Each structure stands twice: as C-alpha cells, then as structure tokens.
Amino acid sequence: EFVLVCGYPAAGKTTLVKEFTDAGYYRINRDLSGGTLEEQSKLAEDFYKKGNNKIVLDNTYITIESREGIIAVAKKLNVPIRCVWLNTSFEDSQLNACLRMIKKTGVILSPQELKDCKDPNLFPPVVLYNAKNKLEGKDKNLKYPGKQNPKTSEGFYKVEIREFVRHWDDEYKNKALILDFDDTIRTSIGPKPWPEKPEHVKILDGRTETLNKWKQKGYILLGASNQSAVAKGLSIEDCTACFEKTIELLNVKIDY
C-alpha cells in the first residue's frame, strides 16, 4: 500500500505520519530527501521495487495536479493507494506555524529573517495563503479549476479525513482575552468615531465589571487597536494619551 498524508503546511502531518512509520511504513518526505514531488514519486517506485511494500508520503499535496504523479506510479505498480487528508483549519495551521517557529528560534521571525532562513519548516505567512488559495480553487494557475480536496475519483481506493486535535503541553498554562479597544471597551463622545483627545473617551457600560470577571478566571488581558486615524493626522501623542485615559477610566489592569 501507498499512503499519501496531505494537508496545509504546518497542519500536523509529521505527527500523524508517525502512526504509519510505527506500523512499518517507509517514509518519503521532501524535507528529508529534497527534490521535487516528481522525484518523490520516483523514490517511492524505487523503494517499492527494493521490497518496501508499505510506503507513506507526507507533503502538502494541496492540488489535484500535485497528486497525479504518485497516483500514476501506484497504478503502474498495481499498488493500492490511500489518501489521508489532515483536515486542519487554516487558522490552526497558522498557529502551528507560529508555535513551531517559537520552539525552534524563541521568537516570531521578521520578514527578513524568514527570507534568510534555510529551514523549510519555517516559512512566511504567504506560504499558507498560497496553499489556501490553491485548495479553495482561487489560484488562476490551477490545472484543474475548482476546489482541490482529494477525491476517490483521482485514483485513491479510499480518502480518509482526519480531524486535527490540539494537545497543549504542560508548559502552556496561561490563557488570554484579546480586546479591541474601540467599540468593545470604549466609544468616542467627540466629533469623530474615534477619540482624538482624552476627554473624548467614554467607557462602555459594564466593561469594568465584565473584565474583572475574566481576570478572576485567570485570563491575561491583551489590548489591541488599529488606529487608522494616525494616517489621517491624529498625533501619536494624542493617540497614546487616549489609551492611557481608557485604562484610567476602565480601572482594570490591561496586561499588554
């Protein structure tokens, strides 16, 4: 049997493939051997002819076209081929990519650092977005237009969907609530929809009590805000003063 394990970059394929290697499957992966997907298919053929009759290949295989080569090899050798689709969401894959980066480097790498990085498992956000566009059929260069989820009609005797389950290590013990300031914590009583001066800041009803309840549950509070008004002339000093006034009126510690 050939088994194709596929899904988004950082979907968790390496973890899943261990299930197969533990059961005696020979693993073929570009991160291990390099080369193109066509060369991976040739490796599978060569290793099968050498007596490895159970082979697992794990790459993204995000498009129908990318899977054609290995399906053709399986057909040529008269070997049944199964697809195991790791149905990790785009957002979970993003989180996995960031967690992997932090574990390997201690930080989220900057665009330049990612450009200079030689590790294929550490990649910029565009890699995931490109995969998403291909999977959803939005990429104009697709050989077969439309959604690219694997189907038995491609030549698989079975397509098995595996749901992603996140397991947090013991080191992950904090939990956080991310708060957008404008229209979530505060509103503006000034002439604009956003506060331009500290006296324009008004805390929305019940916010102090509600946030204190979250704090009592052990949540870290994270404040976030996209102040597009700075591009329209609002000074950084006034913007900062409005944040400081928000915290003062809220009377709840925002941790970050």
Side-chain angles (χ1 to χ4, degrees):
E1 181 188 47
F2 286 175
V3 175
L4 210 64
V5 174
C6 47
Y8 275 130
K13 297 183 293 297
T14 301
T15 301
L16 176 59
V17 85
K18 191 174 184 299
E19 171 187 319
F20 294 94
T21 55
D22 286 350
Y25 283 73
Y26 185 85
R27 183 188 184 194
I28 296 176
N29 174 274
R30 276 203 299 183
D31 294 341
L32 300 175
S33 58
T36 63
L37 288 179
E38 289 76 13
E39 289 166 330
Q40 302 292 294
S41 300
K42 182 66 170 63
L43 278 176
E45 182 175 356
D46 293 344
F47 281 114
Y48 181 80
K49 288 177 177 177
K50 290 175 182 177
N52 297 285
N53 63 358
K54 294 194 298 183
I55 294 175
V56 60
L57 302 97
D58 60 303
N59 291 288
T60 56
Y61 290 109
I62 212 81
T63 64
I64 296 168
E65 182 180 3
S66 68
R67 300 186 286 264
E68 284 184 319
I70 187 60
I71 292 171
V73 167
K75 185 176 181 180
K76 173 184 172 183
L77 298 172
N78 197 28
V79 178
I81 182 167
R82 169 168 46 128
C83 179
V84 178
W85 178 255
L86 188 50
N87 195 24
T88 310
S89 70
F90 177 72
E91 293 79 12
D92 271 319
S93 298
Q94 286 181 306
L95 177 54
N96 289 346
C98 291
L99 290 172
R100 178 194 292 170
M101 201 179 295
I102 290 169
K103 280 184 178 291
K104 287 195 171 193
T105 70
V107 297
I108 297 293
L109 299 175
S110 70
Q112 187 57 50
E113 287 169 331
L114 283 166
K115 191 179 290 186
D116 297 337
C117 182
K118 304 301 180 187
D119 188 334
N121 287 307
L122 304 181
F123 47 79
V126 68
V127 170
L128 262 167
Y129 278 96
N130 284 343
K132 185 174 187 282
N133 287 336
K134 287 178 180 176
L135 179 62
E136 294 178 353
K138 296 175 183 176
D139 191 311
K140 295 178 182 177
N141 299 314
L142 290 171
K143 181 178 178 181
Y144 304 101
K147 291 190 175 181
Q148 302 290 296
N149 299 54
K151 309 169 189 68
T152 53
S153 58
E154 295 175 46
F156 299 113
Y157 79 85
K158 182 180 182 182
V159 174
E160 183 180 336
I161 307 295
R162 294 287 190 96
E163 296 298 329
F164 174 74
V165 179
R166 184 173 302 287
H167 298 288
W168 290 106
D169 297 336
D170 291 341
E171 64 186 297
Y172 294 100
K173 58 185 181 293
N174 293 324
K175 48 194 177 181
L177 182 67
I178 303 174
L179 303 153
D180 189 356
F181 270 53
D182 290 314
D183 297 323
T184 302
I185 293 177
R186 71 184 184 188
T187 189
S188 172
I189 55 174
K192 299 285 180 62
W194 56 85
E196 297 176 296
K197 298 290 181 184
E199 55 267 27
H200 297 162
V201 174
K202 181 188 177 187
I203 302 298
L204 292 164
D205 292 342
R207 270 34 177 194
T208 298
E209 296 78 7
T210 301
L211 292 182
N212 274 324
K213 287 178 182 177
W214 285 95
K215 293 284 280 188
Q216 288 163 11
K217 292 177 184 177
Y219 280 80
I220 295 169
L221 301 184
L222 310 179
S225 188
N226 170 22
Q227 291 296 303
S228 57
V230 172
K232 300 179 173 73
L234 180 65
S235 74
I236 295 293
E237 291 75 19
D238 283 341
C239 184
T240 303
C242 289
F243 283 125
E244 291 172 349
K245 188 64 176 179
T246 302
I247 302 298
E248 177 193 331
L249 294 174
L250 190 62
N251 197 27
V252 178
K253 183 177 184 289
I254 303 291
D255 299 271
Y256 293 95

